[in-house]
Amino acid sequence: MKVRTSASALLVLLAAGACGSPAGDARAPRRLVVAAPGDGFGLGGDAELGLYPINTNIYEPLTRLSFDYRPEPMLATRWELLPPNTWRFHLRSGVRFHDGSPLTAEAVRWTMERMARRGSGSTGIAPGSTRAVDDSTVDITPVFSNRRLPEQLVHPVYSIMARGSDPARHPIGTGPFRFAEYRASSHITVTRFDGYWGDGSLLPGITFRFVPDPATRVLSLRARDVDIVAEFPREVSDPRVVRSPVSGYEVLNVTIHGRRPYDLGSDRAIRRAIAAAVDRVRIARDVWSGAADPTPTVVPAAMLGAFASRIRGVDHDPAAARAILDSAGWRVGADGIRERRGRRLRLTLVVGFPNPHIHRPMPELMQSALREIGIELHIAQVPDDAAYQARIRTGEGDLWAEAGGQNDANPCFLTHLLFYSGPRLRPSGYARLFAPGPSLDRFVDACRNAVTREDAERSAAEAERVLVDEEIIVIPLAATRRVWGLGDRVRGFDPHPSSLSQRWERVSLR
Amino acid sequence: MTSHLLARRSTVVGFVIVVVLATVALFASWLAPHDPTLVDPVRAFAGPSAKHWLGTDNLGRDLLSRLIYGARWSLGLVLVATCLIMSAGLAVGVAAGYVGGVVDDVLMRLVDTILSVPSLLLGLAIVGTLGPGIESLMIGLASIWWVSYARVVRGLVIALRERDFVDAARALGATDGRIVVRHILPGILPAIAVLASLEMGELVLAISGLSFLGLGAQPPTPEWGAMLNDGRSFFFTAPQLMLYPGLVISVAVLGFNLLGDGLRDALDPAEASPIKGVGS
């Protein structure tokens, strides 16, 4: 009797469980859970929760990046140049912020002023550059001639915020999701904004969980703890991955500042030898199969149009690399590493941007390739972007592994942001290490002032040619794709070339 | 003592394991079929074959060769760490135990202070501050590990310094240095050797653990913990990348523990050694 009672109770419990949870799940749509590489929002007053480096779609910019790297209407429906250097943007009507206030030119002015005070990158937007013409029209006049402004404003960091809002604590934007909760180093959660001006979200909300370790992200997907994994390890093959179109780059930058002990990269012969030791095809084909393409360009070739072919890159030729070093006086020592006048040919490769994991296993491949030509490579892995930037400031490194992305529609964004040393922009930490000077700056200036897209692409390609072919300061390794891991219940996820411009409102769970 | 050691089968097993691993480490360059750092992505994740007995890793490197050279790195690091730890522990322990008084008080409070901090956290903090690398790893481990040796040594020295043969040496005019070197150290070294053998298994784990966390050996060093770390991403697709180094770490720890247990029993104070009940 006792046994029968227990069995009945067990059956009731099982039945309740069987009926309860799945049916309950079906009636109440579940939040999407995304495993993101880490919490990059920071804690200070400069934090922009939900915007960068993870775009949770709280905010929207004036223009947005299309899948083919062109600016498209977003909060601005159209724009035009008012010579000599003012851009007029006409705002979309009927757009409201999450607090119910309408999108106005004044909100755009407030956002741009805030951004200008913090540093506006290479846009030339300074305090006083933005003026509200009327409620739905805004003029932006950069401090220098900039024909690329609408292409630059697609970047989410230029998204429009509600006037007077505090993006570090309670972000208020116009996007399809509104801020719900943020816990440092744990997660950020957003919920559907029912007053959205466009097609609203199919999801009730999204939780972006910060999981810095890539292996843990993979395991979370397999265990169904998360629905989507961002930055799925490129070297791991898995049927659940989807890849974006080519969107990023993996490069090695070579220090040319000339200060010991990191002065070896100042020797062009060494730079050429390093480039000749790199087997781009092998890296893309055999190591990051499917997630990367071999390319001699830095930014995606599509950004440079027909002019991409002007960049040839240094061909893989270890014999030529050895000959270059031989003729430069570097003799092979007993252990296979070269020396000259008592100095060992030893370089330091700094790995950490945007995180050390994304580069795997390229550093070891480079170590092996360089050892073949007699160069000892020490791998200095730093834990995160902040540590990497700190090291950039000190210049302590010979080679710098960078996995970046084309996050705007400006073909010369990278050369301008990182390698330009002209008077129009405060030199970045990068410029102090890598800028070749006027040979590159003139092409960046020409690109920024180019009236037609074709002219801009031509100048951008020439600037890259200087970096890659003439000066060999940048050694492209691969054109990369964003790799996402998807759970089997995810529908409607279309990976954008730029993960920063990823849209989430069309995603649903089966 | 030898007959006592060989009487226990587990001790023999431990001894054999340690000897085999030491032999592999010593003769790695002869035993390994390939260069353990030779990269060949075309052969990545190759299964076992006549050319690669255990297959290859994600960079096409021969797994067996990496395991063989890993013995050299892992056991070599254990040896170096043990020497550093023993040197520091002996110096502090002898000074505290032999000199006594204020010196003893100061040194033992230092030991107590270090022991009051969780050793793993302290080790991680030291290695993290110094930056990843083998040198940092050795400094970090020696910094936290010497204290237990120092306490044991101090106790042993206190027990010996009052013995008649020490008094006799002192009466004959021997200096303190001579007494320590000629009379004290020979008396405590067997016990310290037992302690070292017992701790070696833990050191293998500590070194592998810190390398697994990326704080120890750096690429392309074929250290077992670092190999475990490298294989994590491929746990589901190529579990052998974690399985093999995990197995050899387990076997090495088992070997050191069995041998250490046997040595401890053989040197039991009831028969020979003063280690039991002193200082710990």
Side-chain angles (χ1 to χ4, degrees):
Chain A
M1 179 65 188
K2 195 174 181 181
V3 171
R4 202 181 303 159
T5 309
S6 301
S8 304
L10 186 62
L11 277 174
V12 169
L13 282 173
L14 285 174
C19 297
S21 9
D25 282 350
R27 279 195 298 271
R30 197 166 61 82
R31 284 176 187 278
L32 184 78
V33 180
V34 180
D39 181 0
F41 292 125
L43 296 171
D46 282 349
E48 292 176 332
L49 292 181
L51 177 58
Y52 183 86
I54 303 168
N55 185 352
T56 60
N57 291 186
I58 293 172
Y59 296 109
E60 292 170 324
L62 292 174
T63 55
R64 78 172 177 187
L65 185 65
S66 72
F67 273 58
D68 58 352
Y69 299 106
R70 296 291 187 271
E72 284 183 337
M74 193 66 171
L75 294 183
T77 52
R78 59 192 172 88
W79 52 90
E80 71 244 5
L81 179 69
L82 306 179
N85 192 33
T86 295
W87 285 94
R88 172 160 292 179
F89 293 88
H90 301 273
L91 303 183
R92 187 180 296 277
S93 60
V95 177
R96 291 197 169 272
F97 286 102
H98 301 154
D99 62 358
S101 62
L103 170 70
T104 61
E106 182 54 28
V108 176
R109 192 197 65 78
W110 184 85
T111 302
M112 293 300 165
E113 288 292 306
R114 174 185 175 276
M115 185 200 56
R117 285 193 301 272
R118 293 153 47 92
S120 61
S122 53
T123 60
I125 299 175
S129 290
T130 310
R131 184 175 70 90
V133 178
D134 57 40
D135 262 5
S136 60
T137 312
V138 65
D139 283 353
I140 301 177
T141 308
V143 291
F144 50 79
S145 172
N146 185 5
R147 300 296 177 100
R148 309 267 71 79
L149 187 67
E151 296 166 357
Q152 293 173 316
L153 292 184
V154 301
H155 197 297
V157 295
Y158 304 119
S159 291
I160 307 305
M161 301 167 174
R163 188 170 184 225
S165 62
D166 180 1
R169 291 189 180 79
H170 192 74
I172 301 173
T174 61
F177 294 95
R178 60 195 306 169
F179 174 74
E181 183 187 45
Y182 167 71
R183 283 198 190 164
S185 303
S186 172
H187 66 271
I188 183 168
T189 298
V190 293
T191 55
R192 177 168 50 213
F193 173 44
D194 291 326
Y196 184 57
W197 58 268
D199 293 333
S201 167
L202 299 173
L203 293 162
I206 310 174
T207 293
F208 294 84
R209 215 178 271 169
F210 309 131
V211 187
D213 181 59
T216 308
R217 290 201 297 278
V218 173
L219 293 175
S220 300
L221 184 67
R222 290 177 187 271
R224 296 183 170 218
D225 285 341
V226 302
D227 302 300
I228 296 181
V229 166
E231 262 186 41
F232 199 92
R234 287 193 289 229
E235 75 274 25
V236 177
S237 59
D238 193 293
R240 283 170 287 199
V241 301
V242 292
R243 300 180 179 95
S244 74
V246 164
S247 56
Y249 55 85
E250 178 85 25
V251 298
L252 295 177
N253 293 340
V254 190
T255 304
I256 56 167
H257 60 41
R259 295 193 306 271
R260 284 178 76 99
Y262 303 105
D263 57 332
L264 290 170
S266 301
D267 184 343
R268 192 193 298 250
I270 291 180
R271 298 204 297 271
R272 181 166 287 280
I274 295 168
V278 172
D279 188 346
R280 287 193 297 270
V281 175
R282 170 168 280 194
I283 290 175
R285 186 193 62 200
D286 298 333
V287 180
W288 292 328
S289 176
D293 297 341
T295 178
T297 66
V298 184
V299 298
M303 290 299 298
L304 307 175
F307 305 100
S309 60
R310 293 189 177 190
I311 304 150
R312 298 183 52 81
V314 178
D315 290 333
H316 174 57
D317 189 346
R322 288 187 203 98
I324 290 168
L325 293 174
D326 284 340
S327 58
W330 291 97
R331 299 284 170 248
V332 180
D335 62 351
I337 302 301
R338 294 172 184 269
E339 293 177 359
R340 188 174 68 179
R341 292 192 287 274
R343 187 172 185 188
R344 199 170 164 82
L345 188 39
R346 182 179 196 266
L347 303 174
T348 297
L349 168 64
V350 186
V351 183
F353 178 80
N355 60 62
H357 312 294
I358 196 168
H359 303 277
R360 291 183 66 186
M362 181 277 292
E364 286 163 271
L365 281 173
M366 281 305 304
Q367 202 171 40
S368 174
L370 292 187
R371 197 177 52 184
E372 278 184 34
I373 63 167
I375 298 177
E376 181 184 3
L377 186 67
H378 166 65
I379 298 171
Q381 183 170 295
V382 295
D384 51 31
D385 182 25
Y388 184 84
Q389 297 305 333
R391 190 137 179 172
I392 282 275
R393 284 192 288 276
T394 63
E396 294 173 348
D398 300 291
L399 299 172
W400 305 77
E402 301 230 332
Q406 176 73 37
N407 295 314
D408 72 12
N410 172 17
C412 48
F413 103 95
L414 188 78
T415 45
H416 196 178
L417 186 66
L418 303 184
F419 302 100
Y420 183 72
S421 58
R424 297 293 187 193
L425 189 68
R426 187 180 58 184
S428 66
Y430 280 73
R432 284 191 287 273
L433 270 62
F434 311 121
S439 62
L440 173 121
D441 294 347
R442 65 192 178 102
F443 290 118
V444 175
D445 285 333
C447 176
R448 198 179 58 242
N449 291 310
V451 176
T452 67
R453 175 79 188 185
E454 188 181 24
D455 285 345
E457 289 172 350
R458 180 187 296 111
S459 296
E462 287 298 325
E464 280 206 15
R465 191 183 55 73
V466 169
L467 283 174
V468 174
D469 291 338
E470 274 185 22
E471 301 288 350
I472 323 177
I473 294 167
V474 179
I475 302 171
L477 301 178
T480 55
R481 302 167 193 274
R482 304 281 173 192
V483 185
W484 300 80
L486 298 190
D488 51 12
R489 298 202 298 151
V490 176
R491 296 289 179 273
F493 180 81
D494 195 4
H496 195 283
S498 165
S499 61
L500 288 176
S501 291
Q502 185 63 46
R503 300 289 294 186
W504 296 97
E505 71 267 32
R506 295 295 90 194
V507 180
S508 63
L509 289 171
R510 188 179 54 167
Chain B
M1 188 183 101
T2 308
S3 60
H4 199 96
L5 267 175
L6 295 177
R8 286 185 57 167
R9 192 174 298 168
S10 61
T11 309
V12 175
V13 170
F15 179 75
V16 169
I17 289 173
V18 171
V19 167
V20 167
L21 287 176
T23 308
V24 168
L26 277 174
F27 299 102
S29 47
W30 284 281
L31 293 171
H34 299 278
D35 177 349
T37 60
L38 186 66
V39 168
D40 185 4
V42 176
R43 295 186 186 279
F45 302 114
S49 64
K51 190 175 181 188
H52 301 285
W53 288 6
L54 296 181
T56 61
D57 68 5
N58 59 315
L59 289 173
R61 296 173 298 198
D62 183 59
L63 270 178
L64 177 62
S65 302
R66 288 184 69 73
L67 287 174
I68 289 172
Y69 271 92
R72 175 176 285 183
W73 277 101
S74 298
L75 301 187
L77 290 175
V78 167
L79 204 61
V80 172
T82 302
C83 289
L84 288 174
I85 291 163
M86 279 179 67
S87 304
L90 272 174
V92 173
V94 167
Y98 189 78
V99 178
V102 178
V103 174
D104 185 24
D105 287 344
V106 170
L107 290 175
M108 284 306 104
R109 293 304 78 74
L110 174 66
V111 167
D112 291 341
T113 306
I114 294 175
L115 282 173
S116 68
V117 182
S119 57
L120 180 63
L121 285 184
L122 188 59
L124 282 173
I126 293 170
V127 181
T129 305
L130 295 175
I134 285 171
E135 296 86 356
S136 309
L137 179 67
M138 292 296 100
I139 293 170
L141 285 177
S143 304
I144 58 171
W145 222 288
W146 65 270
V147 288
S148 55
Y149 278 70
R151 290 188 74 173
V152 172
V153 169
R154 171 183 171 272
L156 293 169
V157 171
I158 287 173
L160 285 178
R161 75 178 180 190
E162 307 301 336
R163 298 280 288 268
D164 291 344
F165 65 88
V166 174
D167 286 341
R170 198 172 286 128
L172 287 171
T175 61
D176 289 339
R178 183 177 173 81
I179 291 170
V180 167
V181 172
R182 297 295 299 270
H183 302 288
I184 303 276
L185 283 182
I188 64 172
L189 280 181
I192 296 303
V194 173
L195 182 62
S197 67
L198 283 168
E199 300 255 315
M200 276 184 171
E202 284 189 45
L203 270 174
V204 170
L205 281 178
I207 289 170
S208 300
L210 288 170
S211 292
F212 177 76
L213 294 174
L215 295 172
Q218 297 297 303
T221 309
E223 195 273 339
W224 293 336
M227 289 175 70
L228 265 180
N229 189 22
D230 287 344
R232 269 188 324 139
S233 298
F234 312 101
F235 182 67
F236 281 98
T237 51
Q240 70 275 16
L241 299 193
M242 290 193 79
L243 186 68
Y244 294 142
L247 272 176
V248 291
I249 289 171
S250 302
V251 169
V253 172
L254 179 72
F256 281 119
N257 285 348
L258 291 177
L259 182 62
D261 285 346
L263 279 172
R264 184 193 55 202
D265 292 347
L267 294 171
D268 189 275
E271 297 178 29
S273 168
I275 190 169
K276 190 172 175 182
V278 178
S280 54

